[in-house]
Amino acid sequence: MTFDEIINIINILLICAIVSLWVAIVKLKHKRIKKEREARKTDKKKEKQEQIKDER
């Protein structure tokens, strides 16, 4: 193996690591957004239930 081949292999491994990190970050962001949406939905449901109780 020449020095250039070793550098190419290292570059490929670095690219793979960067891509996998990026994918993990994107997944975490989507997971957090999904949780926030669900929290908002449950808040809205609670508000509606409270309004119904107040009207009675």
Side-chain angles (χ1 to χ4, degrees), residues 40-54:
R40 273 189 246 130
K41 283 181 183 177
T42 55
D43 289 343
K44 287 180 182 178
K45 285 180 183 177
K46 286 179 183 177
E47 288 176 5
K48 285 181 182 178
Q49 288 175 353
E50 288 175 4
Q51 286 177 352
I52 292 170
K53 286 179 183 177
D54 292 340

Side-chain angles (χ1 to χ4, degrees), residues 9-56:
I9 291 171
I10 291 171
N11 283 339
I12 291 169
L13 291 173
L14 277 173
I15 291 170
C16 289
I18 291 169
V19 169
S20 63
L21 267 175
W22 180 75
V23 168
I25 290 169
V26 169
K27 281 185 178 182
L28 284 174
K29 283 184 179 180
H30 283 294
K31 199 175 194 179
R32 191 187 80 226
I33 291 169
K34 189 176 180 181
K35 284 183 180 178
E36 289 175 357
R37 283 183 188 157
E38 288 176 3
R40 273 189 246 130
K41 283 181 183 177
T42 55
D43 289 343
K44 287 180 182 178
K45 285 180 183 177
K46 286 179 183 177
E47 288 176 5
K48 285 181 182 178
Q49 288 175 353
E50 288 175 4
Q51 286 177 352
I52 292 170
K53 286 179 183 177
D54 292 340
E55 289 174 0
R56 290 181 187 172

